[in-house]
Amino acid sequence: WLSCRLYCEEAKDPKRRSCQTVLAEALDIVVRSFAPILPHLAEEVFQYIPYKKDSEGVFRTGWINASSAWKKPGTEEAIEGACAMRDSFLGSISGKNALEYEVIIVIEPGLLFELMEALQAEETSSVSQLNEIMMASQTTLLSELPKETPADANVIKGTFLINLEGGDICEQSSYKVIARPIAKAKCPRCRRYTSQSSSTPCPRCLKVLAGKGST
């Protein structure tokens, strides 16, 4: 998930930059949290952080001060719901390469569907946050079962309990995950099965490479 964002997207792409921001924030919190126990290690790590503009040590810059912007309502539930569906998907393919599959998630209209839409606005995507969490090459989000289900597809049923606003909003939602082998070829750059030919990069990678050539 992280490696695809960091190494496959353009250097200034918001997806890549947002990933770097999260990693930077996580490192800052972890270093400050163990500083009272391992002061020398914490200080050494802090001094080697390349994007720090100040030269003061970890003990002179204060305790953990996470921004309230990280506590966006529904985000945690959306990620937990997607992870539950991912676990259902991975369990159905018995240790096989998840990238060799495309996933169809079917959820009836409701709160869970809205949370998944926040992770994937398009019906089908190979670059959405939802697809990255699912670890597949392509994810489709539907509100009803497709008219035809291929014979080689695995259909997994599950439920997820949404708990928002400290329990004021609770909703038990059911979902279906349909996993089937993807028909596309492996992209030689990002290694996802999203290309028309094994010798040609996928559309996303072609766009990134074109951008590098113009800068």
Side-chain angles (χ1 to χ4, degrees):
W1 178 6
L2 295 179
S3 62
C4 188
R5 283 194 176 200
L6 291 172
Y7 301 114
C8 296
E9 300 291 355
E10 291 186 74
K12 295 183 179 180
D13 188 282
K15 290 182 181 179
R16 182 175 185 273
R17 297 292 290 144
S18 66
C19 182
Q20 290 177 313
T21 299
V22 171
L23 291 175
E25 184 74 9
L27 177 62
D28 185 85
I29 290 174
V30 169
V31 171
R32 293 182 192 278
S33 65
F34 69 65
I37 306 170
L38 299 169
H40 298 292
L41 176 60
E43 186 63 37
E44 184 175 4
V45 172
F46 198 80
Q47 292 299 328
Y48 276 92
I49 295 177
Y51 47 82
K52 289 290 183 184
K53 295 182 180 179
D54 54 68
S55 58
E56 294 184 337
V58 65
F59 293 100
R60 292 181 177 272
T61 53
W63 183 236
I64 297 171
N65 185 26
S67 171
S68 59
W70 294 104
K71 291 185 176 293
K72 186 177 180 181
T75 300
E76 182 178 354
E77 289 73 19
I79 299 299
E80 288 180 349
C83 286
M85 296 176 200
R86 178 196 61 196
D87 292 344
S88 297
F89 160 55
L90 295 178
S92 73
I93 60 175
S94 303
K96 296 178 181 177
N97 184 2
L99 290 175
E100 295 179 358
Y101 288 80
E102 62 175 314
V103 171
I104 301 173
I105 299 173
V106 183
I107 309 170
E108 292 183 358
L111 187 53
L112 182 59
F113 186 84
E114 292 175 5
L115 291 175
M116 293 306 105
E117 277 191 315
L119 300 177
Q120 178 169 302
E122 310 89 349
E123 182 176 285
T124 300
S125 177
S126 61
V127 297
S128 68
Q129 295 180 72
L130 179 58
N131 186 68
E132 289 177 343
I133 295 172
M134 296 301 295
M135 299 171 63
S137 279
Q138 180 175 288
T139 297
T140 299
L141 179 62
L142 301 175
S143 59
E144 57 183 17
L145 282 169
K147 294 181 179 179
E148 296 183 2
T149 301
D152 59 348
N154 296 327
V155 181
I156 312 100
K157 298 179 181 180
T159 60
F160 182 74
L161 177 63
I162 301 169
N163 194 331
L164 291 172
E165 304 294 336
D168 291 339
I169 301 175
C170 286
E171 185 175 298
Q172 182 90 12
S173 299
S174 60
Y175 62 82
K176 293 183 179 70
V177 177
I178 303 172
R180 63 184 182 185
I182 195 164
K184 296 183 180 180
K186 180 193 288 187
C187 171
R189 181 174 180 271
C190 69
R191 304 299 180 183
R192 289 187 175 182
Y193 289 77
T194 52
S195 180
Q196 298 302 319
S197 168
S198 59
S199 60
T200 306
C202 66
R204 187 272 301 275
C205 287
L206 284 173
K207 182 179 178 181
V208 172
L209 293 171
K212 286 184 177 180
S214 62
T215 56

